[in-house]
Amino acid sequence: NRKIKFREGFRPFAPSCLEEDLGEWFEIDRPSPHMLLVDQVKPDIRNGPRALKAVTHVDGSARIQSVNRDQEPLYYDLIKAFKDRTGVGVVINTSMNVRGEPIVNTPDDAFLCFMRTNMDVLVMGPYLLRKGDQPAMELQSAEEAFGLD
């Protein structure tokens, strides 16, 4: 929250979960491909060693995005690769914008947001950009660019 979104630390991110794994982590009984549904993180997850702290609100809920391969093959494969390495088919997700700014709408917007924040990596479709590999740019700091304290 502080590094990228410049917002309060208590705000949870949203979980993106492999659709077939929803029941393992959440009490939701249907897909939620557009992050429109909120449901509870299962109590044994919430209170156990596999707690999803970054995506769980203080009331135990999460704004869930289910991901299936037919709808989002690249994102699905990314989450599946994470699951293959960690055993967890859930990653954090958030809109790409800084507090008080509109959501990015173009690749140029995404690149400028990436360069003005403390993001380390930007993935757009099949492209992966590492901050350290980018040419130096004359940019305002995020605080100046976005009018933050």
Side-chain angles (χ1 to χ4, degrees), residues 84-126:
D84 291 346
R85 292 185 83 160
T86 67
V88 178
V90 180
V91 298
I92 63 172
N93 185 14
T94 189
S95 57
M96 190 170 183
N97 68 315
V98 173
R99 183 184 71 202
E101 290 291 314
I103 295 173
V104 302
N105 195 35
T106 67
D108 286 341
D109 292 345
F111 184 74
L112 285 174
C113 184
F114 167 61
M115 294 301 290
R116 287 180 170 161
T117 64
N118 296 312
M119 286 185 230
D120 301 313
V121 175
L122 173 64
V123 177
M124 286 193 291

